[in-house]
Amino acid sequence: MSTANVEMSTKDLRKFGLITGAMLILFFYLLIPWIWSFEKRPDWPLVAAGVLASMSVVFPASLRPVYKVWMRFAEALGWLNTRIILSVIFYLMFVPVGFVMRLFNDPMRRKFDTNADSYRVPSNAVKHENMERPF
C-alpha cells in the first residue's frame, strides 16, 4: 500500500507541517549556506517554513495535498536509493569476495577429476541426542 494514500489525523498533519518547516530552515537557511559559504542567506526557506507552520497550526487539514505529494516524492526517492545502495554494496563487497574465493579455492568442487570414482560427498549421520533439544 502506498504511503501517500494513508489518511492522516489532524495531529499527524500538524506534526508534519511543523517538522517539515523546521527542516527547511535547518537545511536550506542554516546548513547549506554555511557549507557553501554564501554571503547572503536565502529568504525563501523562512517564507516556506512560515507558511507550513502557520498552515499546520491554523488549519492542518490543508496540508493533506502537500503531505501526499511529499510522500510520493519520498517513495520514489526511497525506491531509487535502495537500488543504488544495494548495487554499490553488491559490486563493492560481494563481487570482490567472490573473485577472491574463486581465485584461491573451489568451494563447490567443480573441477574435473579423472581419478575420482564419484563426486558424491557422504553426509555425517545425525546423533539422536542432537534432536532432543534442537534449539
Side-chain angles (χ1 to χ4, degrees):
M1 182 163 83
S2 175
T3 308
N5 293 333
V6 175
E7 287 299 320
M8 297 290 290
S9 69
T10 303
K11 180 182 176 184
D12 293 333
L13 287 170
R14 183 173 289 129
K15 188 188 307 183
F16 165 75
L18 293 173
I19 290 174
T20 306
M23 290 297 118
L24 280 173
I25 292 174
L26 179 70
F27 286 115
F28 294 106
Y29 188 75
L30 297 174
L31 191 62
I32 291 175
W34 177 66
I35 290 173
W36 287 334
S37 302
F38 290 164
E39 291 184 22
K40 183 179 181 297
R41 294 181 189 274
D43 292 333
W44 69 266
L46 295 175
V47 173
V51 168
L52 276 172
S54 62
M55 287 174 64
S56 66
V57 171
V58 175
F59 189 55
S62 66
L63 290 177
R64 189 164 281 125
V66 176
Y67 172 79
K68 287 184 179 185
V69 169
W70 184 255
M71 286 298 114
R72 289 189 197 279
F73 172 73
E75 284 178 359
L77 197 60
W79 182 88
L80 180 68
N81 282 340
T82 300
R83 271 68 181 171
I84 291 171
I85 291 169
L86 289 177
S87 298
V88 167
I89 288 173
F90 178 78
Y91 286 111
L92 291 181
M93 288 181 58
F94 293 113
V95 170
V97 168
F99 282 139
V100 169
M101 284 183 64
R102 287 184 183 183
L103 185 65
F104 291 115
N105 65 355
D106 186 16
M108 292 178 61
R109 297 185 187 133
R110 291 177 290 192
K111 294 180 181 171
F112 186 70
D113 187 8
T114 56
N115 297 329
D117 293 333
S118 171
Y119 289 103
R120 181 180 180 276
V121 177
S123 64
N124 298 329
V126 178
K127 297 177 184 176
H128 293 288
E129 294 84 29
N130 292 348
M131 297 307 291
E132 288 178 9
R133 297 182 68 192
F135 301 108

